Amino acid sequence: MTAKPWCRRSLIAGWGIVLAFSAKRTEAATATIVIDDYLFMPAELRVSIGTTVVWENRDSSPHNVLSVADPRVFRSRAMATGERFEFTFAAPGTYGYFCGLHPHMQGFVVVE
Amino acid sequence: MTQPLPHDDAKHDGSKRHSLECMLWAGTGLLWTVVGGVPRSALIGSAQAQTPGGGFSFAQVSDSHLGFSTPLYSDVAATTAEAIAQLKSGPAPSLVLHTGDVTHLSRPAEFDAAQQIFGTSGLEIHYVPGEHDVIDDDGKGFYERFGRGAGPAGWYSFDAGGVHFIGLNNVMNLRAGGLGQLGAEQLRFLEQDLRDRSASLPIVLFAHIPLWTVHAPWGWGTQDAEQALGLLARFGSVTILNGHIHQIIQKVEGQIAFHTARSTAFPQPAPGSTPSPGPVRDLPAGRLHSVLGVTRISRVEGRAPLAIIDTPLGA
Ligand SMILES: [Cu+2]
């Protein structure tokens, strides 16, 4: 019972490393954003033009991905556990997005 | 025996509504009466958890999340069916309010499961949607099946047992970083709906997301709720019933009593007590039935109070 929060905390520390690593410019044609425990990880992702970004839901709760722009640039359907959504960024810019089910979940993709 | 946290019921000045903060309540049962505009609450044992008096009573069911499944919460259809069976085992409520998240992912099979459990219950059930019911199709599937009596945007009102009921929808078009919202059109509906009604008429307003800010970092609140509460300020008895947070939290502000219900599927953590609002992960074995449940509300005849009792599915 008491082991769980510590287990959780060490996981979060692990994500911190993933975030620091992924926040660097990614040259690959694809990049992944993991969704777990009501977080987009990394919350800030930098990619080059033409990159396909994949959001993968590993949480037990469903989430979706909606761009904040009006009109929306991308919009996923709700992703159950294990489901994914991908979008290819063809133009430079900063693309904010959030989860429409849990609007406090936010992230952004910087395309350079 | 669990204890309520310190709170300030009945001490509020009805004219002041500036601090809509949360109040936690942890208990096995809660009897809540509003007498002569002065709300009082008392913790009760499960042995006393019976509908007081005769006359009109109704119940609240919430957050059945049909379609959700994890090892810890593996059969939400069964626990929801149990909740309905429990309601039917006592004095039958005149009607039931379902405060949303009927389904987990708005999928046809989940709506079918909901109709199987609720539609065949023989109970008169009035629904408002949760954000899980309006995914991907802006609520079309939900309104087709559960929108009886509601307009196309999901809000409506009706009268029963001398109480005026108003069902609102605060789960549409949620914005990044934002809370639930009613929107200008719905606030206009509320204003028109209340305009010619007597201030002595008991009002029960129900919606999915709490109409006061329970915990903003988790989005547990409604950004334009203040405007709705302003329209209700002149009424002597207002009861606001919400779901969404899968736990009982209640608060009294002047003549307005706020109450959130348990889920029939899974509990969520106390506001801010964990990094995320995800389902409680460390529930001790055998405790599931104590954290799920239903709410019964009675109108005690003659003095216009409402009494609220939360009943878990088991000890
Ligand atoms: Cu989400």
Side-chain angles (χ1 to χ4, degrees), chain B residues 72-134:
Chain B
L72 202 47
Y73 310 106
S74 58
D75 197 346
V76 303
T79 50
T80 298
E82 244 179 279
I84 293 296
Q86 186 186 70
L87 277 182
K88 292 175 71 176
S89 72
S94 299
L95 59 90
V96 177
L97 308 175
H98 193 307
T99 43
D101 284 355
V102 174
T103 67
H104 197 53
L105 285 168
S106 312
R107 292 182 175 167
E110 298 173 349
F111 286 125
D112 289 346
Q115 278 187 317
Q116 188 61 37
I117 294 170
F118 300 119
T120 62
S121 68
L123 297 166
E124 176 187 331
I125 306 181
H126 301 260
Y127 303 84
V128 288
E131 73 283 357
H132 284 256
D133 297 315
V134 298

Short mmCIF file of all heavy atoms in Angstrom, two decimals, chain B residues 72-134:
data_model
loop_
_atom_site.label_atom_id
_atom_site.label_comp_id
_atom_site.label_asym_id
_atom_site.label_seq_id
_atom_site.Cartn_x
_atom_site.Cartn_y
_atom_site.Cartn_z
N LEU B 72 -8.42 -3.60 -11.03
CA LEU B 72 -9.01 -3.20 -9.75
C LEU B 72 -10.51 -2.93 -9.88
O LEU B 72 -11.27 -3.18 -8.95
CB LEU B 72 -8.29 -1.94 -9.25
CG LEU B 72 -8.32 -1.60 -7.77
CD1 LEU B 72 -7.99 -2.80 -6.89
CD2 LEU B 72 -7.32 -0.46 -7.50
N TYR B 73 -10.93 -2.43 -11.03
CA TYR B 73 -12.34 -2.08 -11.26
C TYR B 73 -12.80 -2.83 -12.50
O TYR B 73 -12.99 -2.26 -13.57
CB TYR B 73 -12.49 -0.56 -11.41
CG TYR B 73 -11.80 0.19 -10.29
CD1 TYR B 73 -10.59 0.85 -10.48
CD2 TYR B 73 -12.34 0.18 -9.00
CE1 TYR B 73 -9.95 1.50 -9.43
CE2 TYR B 73 -11.71 0.83 -7.95
CZ TYR B 73 -10.51 1.48 -8.17
OH TYR B 73 -9.88 2.11 -7.12
N SER B 74 -12.93 -4.14 -12.35
CA SER B 74 -13.01 -5.00 -13.51
C SER B 74 -14.43 -5.20 -14.05
O SER B 74 -14.58 -5.67 -15.16
CB SER B 74 -12.41 -6.37 -13.17
OG SER B 74 -13.11 -6.92 -12.06
N ASP B 75 -15.46 -4.85 -13.26
CA ASP B 75 -16.82 -5.10 -13.74
C ASP B 75 -17.75 -3.96 -13.34
O ASP B 75 -18.57 -4.08 -12.43
CB ASP B 75 -17.34 -6.44 -13.20
CG ASP B 75 -18.54 -6.95 -13.98
OD1 ASP B 75 -19.12 -6.16 -14.76
OD2 ASP B 75 -18.90 -8.12 -13.81
N VAL B 76 -17.59 -2.83 -14.01
CA VAL B 76 -18.38 -1.65 -13.64
C VAL B 76 -19.86 -1.85 -14.00
O VAL B 76 -20.73 -1.24 -13.38
CB VAL B 76 -17.82 -0.36 -14.28
CG1 VAL B 76 -16.36 -0.17 -13.88
CG2 VAL B 76 -17.96 -0.36 -15.78
N ALA B 77 -20.15 -2.71 -14.97
CA ALA B 77 -21.56 -2.99 -15.27
C ALA B 77 -22.21 -3.68 -14.07
O ALA B 77 -23.35 -3.38 -13.71
CB ALA B 77 -21.66 -3.88 -16.51
N ALA B 78 -21.44 -4.57 -13.41
CA ALA B 78 -21.99 -5.29 -12.25
C ALA B 78 -22.21 -4.34 -11.08
O ALA B 78 -23.25 -4.39 -10.41
CB ALA B 78 -21.06 -6.43 -11.84
N THR B 79 -21.23 -3.46 -10.81
CA THR B 79 -21.41 -2.57 -9.65
C THR B 79 -22.52 -1.56 -9.93
O THR B 79 -23.26 -1.18 -9.02
CB THR B 79 -20.08 -1.85 -9.29
OG1 THR B 79 -19.51 -1.26 -10.46
CG2 THR B 79 -19.09 -2.83 -8.68
N THR B 80 -22.66 -1.15 -11.19
CA THR B 80 -23.74 -0.22 -11.52
C THR B 80 -25.10 -0.92 -11.39
O THR B 80 -26.05 -0.34 -10.84
CB THR B 80 -23.54 0.33 -12.95
OG1 THR B 80 -22.32 1.06 -12.98
CG2 THR B 80 -24.69 1.24 -13.35
N ALA B 81 -25.17 -2.14 -11.85
CA ALA B 81 -26.42 -2.90 -11.72
C ALA B 81 -26.75 -3.11 -10.24
O ALA B 81 -27.93 -3.05 -9.84
CB ALA B 81 -26.30 -4.24 -12.43
N GLU B 82 -25.72 -3.31 -9.43
CA GLU B 82 -25.93 -3.46 -7.99
C GLU B 82 -26.52 -2.18 -7.39
O GLU B 82 -27.39 -2.23 -6.51
CB GLU B 82 -24.58 -3.71 -7.32
CG GLU B 82 -24.43 -5.05 -6.66
CD GLU B 82 -23.03 -5.18 -6.06
OE1 GLU B 82 -22.08 -5.49 -6.81
OE2 GLU B 82 -22.90 -4.95 -4.86
N ALA B 83 -26.00 -1.05 -7.85
CA ALA B 83 -26.49 0.23 -7.34
C ALA B 83 -27.98 0.40 -7.67
O ALA B 83 -28.78 0.84 -6.84
CB ALA B 83 -25.68 1.38 -7.94
N ILE B 84 -28.35 0.03 -8.88
CA ILE B 84 -29.76 0.14 -9.28
C ILE B 84 -30.61 -0.83 -8.45
O ILE B 84 -31.69 -0.49 -7.98
CB ILE B 84 -29.92 -0.15 -10.79
CG1 ILE B 84 -29.25 0.96 -11.61
CG2 ILE B 84 -31.37 -0.31 -11.17
CD1 ILE B 84 -29.89 2.33 -11.45
N ALA B 85 -30.09 -2.03 -8.24
CA ALA B 85 -30.82 -3.01 -7.44
C ALA B 85 -31.00 -2.49 -6.01
O ALA B 85 -32.06 -2.67 -5.40
CB ALA B 85 -30.08 -4.35 -7.43
N GLN B 86 -29.97 -1.83 -5.51
CA GLN B 86 -30.06 -1.28 -4.15
C GLN B 86 -31.15 -0.20 -4.06
O GLN B 86 -31.92 -0.16 -3.11
CB GLN B 86 -28.71 -0.69 -3.74
CG GLN B 86 -28.66 -0.23 -2.30
CD GLN B 86 -27.36 0.48 -1.99
OE1 GLN B 86 -27.11 1.58 -2.44
NE2 GLN B 86 -26.51 -0.17 -1.22
N LEU B 87 -31.22 0.63 -5.10
CA LEU B 87 -32.25 1.67 -5.12
C LEU B 87 -33.65 1.05 -5.12
O LEU B 87 -34.56 1.54 -4.47
CB LEU B 87 -32.11 2.54 -6.37
CG LEU B 87 -31.10 3.67 -6.33
CD1 LEU B 87 -31.15 4.44 -7.64
CD2 LEU B 87 -31.38 4.60 -5.16
N LYS B 88 -33.78 -0.04 -5.87
CA LYS B 88 -35.10 -0.65 -5.99
C LYS B 88 -35.47 -1.48 -4.75
O LYS B 88 -36.64 -1.78 -4.55
CB LYS B 88 -35.14 -1.55 -7.23
CG LYS B 88 -35.06 -0.73 -8.52
CD LYS B 88 -34.99 -1.61 -9.74
CE LYS B 88 -36.32 -2.32 -10.01
NZ LYS B 88 -36.24 -3.10 -11.26
N SER B 89 -34.46 -1.82 -3.94
CA SER B 89 -34.74 -2.65 -2.77
C SER B 89 -35.37 -1.86 -1.63
O SER B 89 -36.06 -2.41 -0.79
CB SER B 89 -33.47 -3.34 -2.28
OG SER B 89 -32.61 -2.39 -1.67
N GLY B 90 -35.11 -0.55 -1.61
CA GLY B 90 -35.70 0.29 -0.57
C GLY B 90 -37.02 0.86 -1.03
O GLY B 90 -37.60 0.37 -2.00
N PRO B 91 -37.51 1.90 -0.33
CA PRO B 91 -38.70 2.60 -0.83
C PRO B 91 -38.37 3.19 -2.21
O PRO B 91 -37.38 3.91 -2.33
CB PRO B 91 -38.92 3.71 0.20
CG PRO B 91 -38.09 3.33 1.40
CD PRO B 91 -36.97 2.49 0.88
N ALA B 92 -39.16 2.83 -3.20
CA ALA B 92 -38.80 3.22 -4.57
C ALA B 92 -38.78 4.74 -4.71
O ALA B 92 -39.74 5.42 -4.35
CB ALA B 92 -39.80 2.62 -5.55
N PRO B 93 -37.68 5.29 -5.24
CA PRO B 93 -37.66 6.73 -5.48
C PRO B 93 -38.62 7.09 -6.60
O PRO B 93 -38.85 6.30 -7.52
CB PRO B 93 -36.20 6.99 -5.90
CG PRO B 93 -35.70 5.69 -6.42
CD PRO B 93 -36.44 4.62 -5.67
N SER B 94 -39.21 8.29 -6.52
CA SER B 94 -40.14 8.72 -7.56
C SER B 94 -39.43 8.89 -8.89
O SER B 94 -40.01 8.69 -9.95
CB SER B 94 -40.81 10.03 -7.16
OG SER B 94 -41.53 9.86 -5.96
N LEU B 95 -38.19 9.31 -8.83
CA LEU B 95 -37.40 9.43 -10.06
C LEU B 95 -35.92 9.38 -9.70
O LEU B 95 -35.55 9.49 -8.53
CB LEU B 95 -37.75 10.71 -10.82
CG LEU B 95 -37.57 12.07 -10.11
CD1 LEU B 95 -36.17 12.62 -10.35
CD2 LEU B 95 -38.60 13.06 -10.61
N VAL B 96 -35.09 9.20 -10.73
CA VAL B 96 -33.64 9.11 -10.55
C VAL B 96 -32.97 10.12 -11.48
O VAL B 96 -33.39 10.28 -12.63
CB VAL B 96 -33.13 7.68 -10.87
CG1 VAL B 96 -31.61 7.61 -10.76
CG2 VAL B 96 -33.80 6.65 -9.96
N LEU B 97 -31.96 10.81 -10.96
CA LEU B 97 -31.14 11.69 -11.79
C LEU B 97 -29.81 10.99 -12.04
O LEU B 97 -29.16 10.57 -11.09
CB LEU B 97 -30.88 13.02 -11.07
CG LEU B 97 -32.11 13.76 -10.53
CD1 LEU B 97 -31.67 15.00 -9.74
CD2 LEU B 97 -33.05 14.15 -11.66
N HIS B 98 -29.42 10.87 -13.30
CA HIS B 98 -28.08 10.35 -13.60
C HIS B 98 -27.23 11.55 -14.01
O HIS B 98 -27.50 12.20 -15.02
CB HIS B 98 -28.11 9.32 -14.73
CG HIS B 98 -26.82 8.54 -14.87
ND1 HIS B 98 -25.60 9.16 -15.01
CD2 HIS B 98 -26.57 7.20 -14.88
CE1 HIS B 98 -24.64 8.23 -15.09
NE2 HIS B 98 -25.20 7.04 -15.01
N THR B 99 -26.20 11.85 -13.20
CA THR B 99 -25.43 13.07 -13.46
C THR B 99 -24.19 12.83 -14.34
O THR B 99 -23.17 13.48 -14.16
CB THR B 99 -25.03 13.76 -12.14
OG1 THR B 99 -24.58 12.78 -11.20
CG2 THR B 99 -26.21 14.51 -11.54
N GLY B 100 -24.33 11.94 -15.32
CA GLY B 100 -23.36 11.92 -16.40
C GLY B 100 -22.20 10.97 -16.29
O GLY B 100 -21.95 10.37 -15.26
N ASP B 101 -21.44 10.86 -17.42
CA ASP B 101 -20.49 9.80 -17.62
C ASP B 101 -21.20 8.45 -17.46
O ASP B 101 -20.77 7.56 -16.73
CB ASP B 101 -19.24 9.91 -16.73
CG ASP B 101 -18.27 10.99 -17.21
OD1 ASP B 101 -18.52 11.57 -18.28
OD2 ASP B 101 -17.27 11.25 -16.53
N VAL B 102 -22.32 8.37 -18.19
CA VAL B 102 -23.06 7.11 -18.28
C VAL B 102 -22.13 6.06 -18.87
O VAL B 102 -22.03 4.93 -18.39
CB VAL B 102 -24.31 7.30 -19.18
CG1 VAL B 102 -25.01 5.97 -19.41
CG2 VAL B 102 -25.25 8.33 -18.56
N THR B 103 -21.41 6.45 -19.94
CA THR B 103 -20.48 5.55 -20.61
C THR B 103 -19.04 6.05 -20.44
O THR B 103 -18.81 7.17 -19.99
CB THR B 103 -20.76 5.48 -22.12
OG1 THR B 103 -20.47 6.76 -22.71
CG2 THR B 103 -22.20 5.11 -22.41
N HIS B 104 -18.11 5.21 -20.85
CA HIS B 104 -16.70 5.59 -20.72
C HIS B 104 -16.17 6.26 -21.99
O HIS B 104 -15.41 7.20 -21.92
CB HIS B 104 -15.87 4.35 -20.40
CG HIS B 104 -14.51 4.68 -19.85
ND1 HIS B 104 -14.33 5.52 -18.77
CD2 HIS B 104 -13.27 4.30 -20.24
CE1 HIS B 104 -13.03 5.63 -18.52
NE2 HIS B 104 -12.38 4.91 -19.39
N LEU B 105 -16.59 5.77 -23.15
CA LEU B 105 -16.05 6.27 -24.41
C LEU B 105 -17.12 6.60 -25.45
O LEU B 105 -16.80 6.69 -26.64
CB LEU B 105 -15.07 5.24 -25.00
CG LEU B 105 -13.70 5.15 -24.31
CD1 LEU B 105 -12.95 3.92 -24.78
CD2 LEU B 105 -12.88 6.41 -24.59
N SER B 106 -18.36 6.75 -25.03
CA SER B 106 -19.45 7.11 -25.95
C SER B 106 -19.63 6.11 -27.08
O SER B 106 -20.10 6.47 -28.16
CB SER B 106 -19.21 8.50 -26.59
OG SER B 106 -18.87 9.47 -25.66
N ARG B 107 -19.25 4.86 -26.86
CA ARG B 107 -19.31 3.88 -27.95
C ARG B 107 -20.66 3.16 -27.93
O ARG B 107 -21.25 2.96 -26.87
CB ARG B 107 -18.14 2.90 -27.84
CG ARG B 107 -16.85 3.66 -28.13
CD ARG B 107 -15.60 2.84 -28.12
NE ARG B 107 -14.47 3.70 -28.52
CZ ARG B 107 -13.19 3.40 -28.39
NH1 ARG B 107 -12.84 2.24 -27.88
NH2 ARG B 107 -12.25 4.24 -28.78
N PRO B 108 -21.14 2.77 -29.13
CA PRO B 108 -22.48 2.17 -29.22
C PRO B 108 -22.68 0.99 -28.26
O PRO B 108 -23.74 0.89 -27.63
CB PRO B 108 -22.56 1.72 -30.69
CG PRO B 108 -21.68 2.69 -31.41
CD PRO B 108 -20.54 2.98 -30.47
N ALA B 109 -21.68 0.14 -28.12
CA ALA B 109 -21.84 -1.02 -27.23
C ALA B 109 -22.01 -0.57 -25.78
O ALA B 109 -22.70 -1.22 -24.99
CB ALA B 109 -20.63 -1.94 -27.35
N GLU B 110 -21.37 0.56 -25.45
CA GLU B 110 -21.50 1.08 -24.08
C GLU B 110 -22.89 1.68 -23.86
O GLU B 110 -23.49 1.51 -22.79
CB GLU B 110 -20.41 2.12 -23.82
CG GLU B 110 -19.00 1.55 -23.93
CD GLU B 110 -17.90 2.60 -23.84
OE1 GLU B 110 -18.21 3.82 -23.89
OE2 GLU B 110 -16.73 2.20 -23.70
N PHE B 111 -23.38 2.39 -24.87
CA PHE B 111 -24.74 2.92 -24.75
C PHE B 111 -25.75 1.76 -24.65
O PHE B 111 -26.73 1.84 -23.91
CB PHE B 111 -25.08 3.82 -25.94
CG PHE B 111 -24.40 5.17 -25.89
CD1 PHE B 111 -23.62 5.61 -26.94
CD2 PHE B 111 -24.55 6.00 -24.78
CE1 PHE B 111 -22.99 6.86 -26.90
CE2 PHE B 111 -23.93 7.25 -24.72
CZ PHE B 111 -23.15 7.68 -25.78
N ASP B 112 -25.47 0.67 -25.39
CA ASP B 112 -26.34 -0.50 -25.30
C ASP B 112 -26.35 -1.07 -23.89
O ASP B 112 -27.40 -1.41 -23.34
CB ASP B 112 -25.87 -1.60 -26.27
CG ASP B 112 -26.12 -1.25 -27.73
OD1 ASP B 112 -26.89 -0.29 -27.97
OD2 ASP B 112 -25.55 -1.92 -28.61
N ALA B 113 -25.15 -1.14 -23.29
CA ALA B 113 -25.05 -1.67 -21.93
C ALA B 113 -25.81 -0.77 -20.95
O ALA B 113 -26.46 -1.25 -20.02
CB ALA B 113 -23.58 -1.78 -21.52
N ALA B 114 -25.74 0.53 -21.20
CA ALA B 114 -26.45 1.48 -20.33
C ALA B 114 -27.95 1.28 -20.44
O ALA B 114 -28.68 1.28 -19.44
CB ALA B 114 -26.07 2.92 -20.69
N GLN B 115 -28.42 1.08 -21.67
CA GLN B 115 -29.86 0.86 -21.83
C GLN B 115 -30.29 -0.44 -21.18
O GLN B 115 -31.39 -0.54 -20.63
CB GLN B 115 -30.23 0.90 -23.32
CG GLN B 115 -30.38 2.35 -23.78
CD GLN B 115 -30.90 2.48 -25.19
OE1 GLN B 115 -30.47 1.75 -26.07
NE2 GLN B 115 -31.80 3.42 -25.40
N GLN B 116 -29.40 -1.42 -21.24
CA GLN B 116 -29.70 -2.71 -20.61
C GLN B 116 -29.91 -2.54 -19.09
O GLN B 116 -30.82 -3.08 -18.51
CB GLN B 116 -28.54 -3.67 -20.89
CG GLN B 116 -28.79 -5.10 -20.47
CD GLN B 116 -29.98 -5.70 -21.21
OE1 GLN B 116 -30.19 -5.43 -22.39
NE2 GLN B 116 -30.78 -6.49 -20.50
N ILE B 117 -29.03 -1.76 -18.47
CA ILE B 117 -29.08 -1.62 -17.01
C ILE B 117 -30.13 -0.58 -16.57
O ILE B 117 -30.96 -0.86 -15.71
CB ILE B 117 -27.70 -1.21 -16.45
CG1 ILE B 117 -26.70 -2.36 -16.67
CG2 ILE B 117 -27.80 -0.86 -14.96
CD1 ILE B 117 -25.26 -1.99 -16.38
N PHE B 118 -30.09 0.59 -17.18
CA PHE B 118 -30.98 1.67 -16.73
C PHE B 118 -32.36 1.57 -17.38
O PHE B 118 -33.38 1.78 -16.74
CB PHE B 118 -30.36 3.04 -17.03
CG PHE B 118 -29.04 3.25 -16.36
CD1 PHE B 118 -27.89 3.48 -17.10
CD2 PHE B 118 -28.94 3.23 -14.97
CE1 PHE B 118 -26.67 3.67 -16.47
CE2 PHE B 118 -27.72 3.42 -14.34
CZ PHE B 118 -26.58 3.65 -15.09
N GLY B 119 -32.34 1.27 -18.69
CA GLY B 119 -33.59 1.28 -19.44
C GLY B 119 -34.56 0.19 -19.02
O GLY B 119 -35.77 0.33 -19.16
N THR B 120 -34.02 -0.91 -18.49
CA THR B 120 -34.90 -2.01 -18.09
C THR B 120 -35.16 -2.01 -16.58
O THR B 120 -35.73 -2.94 -16.04
CB THR B 120 -34.28 -3.37 -18.46
OG1 THR B 120 -33.04 -3.51 -17.74
CG2 THR B 120 -34.00 -3.48 -19.95
N SER B 121 -34.72 -0.93 -15.90
CA SER B 121 -34.82 -0.90 -14.43
C SER B 121 -36.23 -0.63 -13.94
O SER B 121 -36.55 -0.88 -12.77
CB SER B 121 -33.88 0.17 -13.87
OG SER B 121 -34.36 1.47 -14.23
N GLY B 122 -37.07 -0.09 -14.81
CA GLY B 122 -38.40 0.29 -14.38
C GLY B 122 -38.42 1.62 -13.64
O GLY B 122 -39.48 2.08 -13.21
N LEU B 123 -37.26 2.25 -13.49
CA LEU B 123 -37.17 3.55 -12.82
C LEU B 123 -37.26 4.67 -13.85
O LEU B 123 -36.81 4.51 -14.99
CB LEU B 123 -35.84 3.66 -12.06
CG LEU B 123 -35.61 2.66 -10.93
CD1 LEU B 123 -34.15 2.65 -10.50
CD2 LEU B 123 -36.52 3.00 -9.74
N GLU B 124 -37.83 5.78 -13.42
CA GLU B 124 -37.87 6.97 -14.28
C GLU B 124 -36.54 7.70 -14.10
O GLU B 124 -36.26 8.24 -13.04
CB GLU B 124 -39.04 7.87 -13.89
CG GLU B 124 -39.09 9.17 -14.69
CD GLU B 124 -40.17 10.12 -14.16
OE1 GLU B 124 -41.19 9.66 -13.61
OE2 GLU B 124 -39.97 11.34 -14.28
N ILE B 125 -35.69 7.69 -15.14
CA ILE B 125 -34.34 8.24 -15.01
C ILE B 125 -34.18 9.44 -15.94
O ILE B 125 -34.52 9.37 -17.13
CB ILE B 125 -33.26 7.18 -15.33
CG1 ILE B 125 -33.49 5.92 -14.45
CG2 ILE B 125 -31.86 7.75 -15.07
CD1 ILE B 125 -32.47 4.82 -14.65
N HIS B 126 -33.67 10.53 -15.38
CA HIS B 126 -33.39 11.75 -16.15
C HIS B 126 -31.87 11.92 -16.19
O HIS B 126 -31.21 11.86 -15.16
CB HIS B 126 -34.04 12.96 -15.49
CG HIS B 126 -35.54 12.82 -15.37
ND1 HIS B 126 -36.41 13.43 -16.24
CD2 HIS B 126 -36.30 12.14 -14.47
CE1 HIS B 126 -37.66 13.12 -15.89
NE2 HIS B 126 -37.62 12.34 -14.83
N TYR B 127 -31.35 12.18 -17.39
CA TYR B 127 -29.89 12.19 -17.58
C TYR B 127 -29.37 13.58 -17.96
O TYR B 127 -30.04 14.35 -18.64
CB TYR B 127 -29.50 11.26 -18.74
CG TYR B 127 -29.95 9.83 -18.58
CD1 TYR B 127 -31.24 9.44 -18.95
CD2 TYR B 127 -29.08 8.86 -18.08
CE1 TYR B 127 -31.65 8.11 -18.82
CE2 TYR B 127 -29.48 7.54 -17.96
CZ TYR B 127 -30.78 7.17 -18.33
OH TYR B 127 -31.17 5.86 -18.21
N VAL B 128 -28.15 13.85 -17.55
CA VAL B 128 -27.35 14.90 -18.19
C VAL B 128 -26.02 14.26 -18.60
O VAL B 128 -25.57 13.31 -17.95
CB VAL B 128 -27.09 16.12 -17.26
CG1 VAL B 128 -28.36 16.95 -17.08
CG2 VAL B 128 -26.53 15.69 -15.91
N PRO B 129 -25.41 14.76 -19.67
CA PRO B 129 -24.18 14.11 -20.14
C PRO B 129 -22.94 14.50 -19.33
O PRO B 129 -22.85 15.61 -18.80
CB PRO B 129 -24.05 14.61 -21.58
CG PRO B 129 -24.71 15.96 -21.56
CD PRO B 129 -25.84 15.85 -20.56
N GLY B 130 -21.99 13.57 -19.27
CA GLY B 130 -20.64 13.88 -18.83
C GLY B 130 -19.76 13.99 -20.06
O GLY B 130 -20.18 13.65 -21.17
N GLU B 131 -18.54 14.46 -19.87
CA GLU B 131 -17.65 14.63 -21.03
C GLU B 131 -17.35 13.29 -21.70
O GLU B 131 -17.08 13.25 -22.89
CB GLU B 131 -16.37 15.39 -20.64
CG GLU B 131 -15.35 14.61 -19.81
CD GLU B 131 -15.75 14.49 -18.35
OE1 GLU B 131 -16.79 15.05 -17.96
OE2 GLU B 131 -15.03 13.80 -17.58
N HIS B 132 -17.46 12.19 -20.97
CA HIS B 132 -17.23 10.88 -21.58
C HIS B 132 -18.39 10.42 -22.47
O HIS B 132 -18.26 9.44 -23.18
CB HIS B 132 -16.98 9.83 -20.49
CG HIS B 132 -15.62 9.91 -19.88
ND1 HIS B 132 -14.61 9.03 -20.18
CD2 HIS B 132 -15.09 10.80 -18.99
CE1 HIS B 132 -13.52 9.35 -19.50
NE2 HIS B 132 -13.79 10.43 -18.76
N ASP B 133 -19.53 11.10 -22.37
CA ASP B 133 -20.70 10.72 -23.17
C ASP B 133 -20.80 11.45 -24.50
O ASP B 133 -21.65 11.14 -25.32
CB ASP B 133 -21.99 11.00 -22.38
CG ASP B 133 -22.07 10.18 -21.10
OD1 ASP B 133 -21.77 8.97 -21.15
OD2 ASP B 133 -22.43 10.76 -20.06
N VAL B 134 -19.95 12.46 -24.68
CA VAL B 134 -20.09 13.32 -25.87
C VAL B 134 -18.80 13.34 -26.68
O VAL B 134 -18.52 14.29 -27.41
CB VAL B 134 -20.52 14.75 -25.48
CG1 VAL B 134 -21.87 14.72 -24.79
CG2 VAL B 134 -19.49 15.43 -24.57
#
